[in-house]
Amino acid sequence: MYKRILLATDGSEHSVRSTKHAAALAKQFGGTVEIVYVVDGNKSKEDVLHNMSEYEIELKRKEKTRSVQEVLEQEGISFKTHILHGEPGPTIVEHANENDYDCVVIGSRGHNALQEMILGSVSHKVVKRVDAPVMVIK
């Protein structure tokens, strides 16, 4: 049922919690996990403006997925990692819909109702626009 699981991560504690749920789904259904980390365009520009070398920038981005990868390795789950560029919500939605995943797992950032109304939330955008079932982890 859930053979191809997309795990959206941002390197936060919420992502690690989400990873445990994605790993449980993968174990239960014999699936694999594809990790996606989206580099926001503004953050990308900031990295370049701070005179970081390409190597340092790449290392910093890979570091964002390290804790998630460690959890999946400990659980014995097969995974791939994708680093994408763009606005996180729409980029995750586009990637998920183009690649026919069985399920998307994403962490909630814990905005209160006012913050979410004003700022929006990546998880809210994903839930509304992805074709596959979405699991949001608090």
Side-chain angles (χ1 to χ4, degrees):
M1 182 174 226
Y2 298 117
K3 295 284 189 184
R4 295 189 66 228
I5 301 162
L6 178 64
L7 173 63
T9 183
D10 62 2
S12 68
E13 281 183 41
H14 301 284
S15 295
V16 174
R17 231 181 355 260
S18 305
T19 304
K20 293 175 183 174
H21 287 273
L25 282 175
K27 271 187 173 180
Q28 184 173 357
F29 295 102
T32 61
V33 174
E34 293 196 29
I35 303 164
V36 66
Y37 172 72
V38 180
V39 178
D40 191 324
N42 293 331
K43 181 67 177 154
S44 183
K45 289 175 190 173
E46 184 181 308
D47 289 343
V48 172
L49 289 173
H50 282 86
N51 299 321
M52 297 176 81
S53 71
E54 280 187 46
Y55 174 76
E56 289 174 314
I57 292 169
E58 188 67 23
L59 195 60
K60 186 177 176 184
R61 291 174 183 166
K62 286 182 179 179
E63 186 66 33
K64 293 286 188 181
T65 61
R66 182 170 310 209
S67 58
V68 168
Q69 292 172 343
E70 287 172 356
V71 170
L72 293 173
E73 286 171 353
Q74 288 171 357
E75 296 292 329
I77 305 298
S78 175
F79 66 89
K80 293 179 186 174
T81 303
H82 304 279
I83 296 178
L84 306 175
H85 298 269
E87 186 182 340
T91 302
I92 293 167
V93 169
E94 182 179 339
H95 182 77
N97 288 341
E98 287 178 356
N99 290 285
D100 197 33
Y101 291 99
D102 298 319
C103 179
V104 177
V105 179
I106 188 168
S108 166
R109 291 292 292 221
H111 288 313
N112 65 36
L114 178 62
Q115 289 170 318
E116 189 166 323
M117 183 177 75
I118 294 169
L119 302 173
S121 98
V122 173
S123 58
H124 184 78
K125 291 173 187 170
V126 169
V127 167
K128 288 286 197 183
R129 298 183 183 122
V130 167
D131 297 332
V134 178
M135 179 184 289
V136 180
I137 308 303
K138 287 177 95 175

